[in-house]
Amino acid sequence: MIVERIEANIESMEKEEIINRHIEKVYLESSLLVKRIQRVKTDHGREIGIRLKEPRDLTSGDVLYMDDRNIIVIDVMEDDLLVIRPRSLNEMGTIAHQLGNRHLPAQFENDEMMVQYDYLVEELVKELDIPFTREDRKVKQAFRHIGHSHE
């Protein structure tokens, strides 16, 4: 089976659309969400080729296939993250500036900044005395580097 487009996202579907269907999952590392062409395997051993026609990243919950009885959905594996919880706008500005200078991609949820684990970043937030934890957590989308040069 070759998937060329995403049918929907399971999070935006009605319960009635899901409840009577068997769900198979494709577990991906977050870094693979940016690949439009790849071969994957479901948790039931079914091989699927993904060749998306539109230029978009995959996200957690994307429906690769759906019929009257089955749904095949993307699920993202947990990443090793530093979850940074600044107490003030000053702390947020300080850590955002420091991480931006390193061109590290970050994601935000509520009042938390998440970056992929790096021991140097861990040392930095300790040195700046900004609250953080190291957690294994699922992200909904890939950490994407933004193209930039200092010319």
Side-chain angles (χ1 to χ4, degrees):
M1 172 190 313
I2 296 178
V3 173
E4 295 184 330
R5 69 182 178 89
I6 302 304
E7 298 289 327
N9 191 289
I10 200 160
E11 292 178 18
S12 62
M13 293 173 64
E14 300 292 328
K15 264 188 183 171
E16 297 78 35
E17 294 179 278
I18 302 166
I19 200 160
N20 293 324
R21 290 186 166 106
H22 172 73
I23 297 176
E24 279 185 66
K25 292 187 176 184
V26 172
Y27 291 98
L28 293 179
E29 294 178 13
S30 66
S31 61
L32 295 177
L33 295 173
V34 297
K35 292 180 67 178
R36 288 185 12 214
I37 300 172
Q38 59 185 306
R39 181 170 299 280
V40 297
K41 193 179 278 194
T42 71
D43 58 351
H44 289 60
R46 186 188 321 210
E47 285 197 25
I48 298 173
I50 299 174
R51 184 177 59 218
L52 298 180
K53 289 185 175 183
E54 69 233 22
R56 74 181 290 279
D57 291 348
L58 296 167
T59 60
S60 181
D62 278 349
V63 176
L64 298 176
Y65 174 80
M66 181 170 57
D67 63 20
D68 292 338
R69 296 186 314 260
N70 300 293
I71 297 179
I72 300 175
V73 179
I74 297 283
D75 198 354
V76 181
M77 296 165 56
E78 292 181 338
D79 278 298
D80 186 8
L81 303 176
L82 289 175
V83 181
I84 304 168
R85 296 177 183 87
R87 294 169 291 227
S88 67
L89 188 58
N90 184 46
E91 283 185 352
M92 174 54 88
T94 300
I95 193 62
H97 178 75
Q98 292 283 333
L99 297 179
N101 279 341
R102 298 168 191 230
H103 301 281
L104 286 177
Q107 293 186 27
F108 300 86
E109 271 185 22
N110 304 317
D111 292 334
E112 299 174 334
M113 171 188 265
M114 298 176 294
V115 295
Q116 291 176 307
Y117 178 78
D118 180 295
Y119 75 94
L120 293 172
V121 175
E122 183 178 36
E123 288 177 8
L124 175 66
V125 290
K126 283 179 182 176
E127 179 183 311
L128 295 172
D129 191 34
I130 297 175
F132 76 96
T133 55
R134 183 175 177 182
E135 300 177 21
D136 289 328
R137 190 188 281 193
K138 290 183 181 188
V139 294
K140 292 186 187 331
Q141 58 196 16
F143 284 92
R144 182 173 277 289
H145 287 274
I146 297 172
H148 175 73
S149 66
H150 289 278
E151 294 178 23

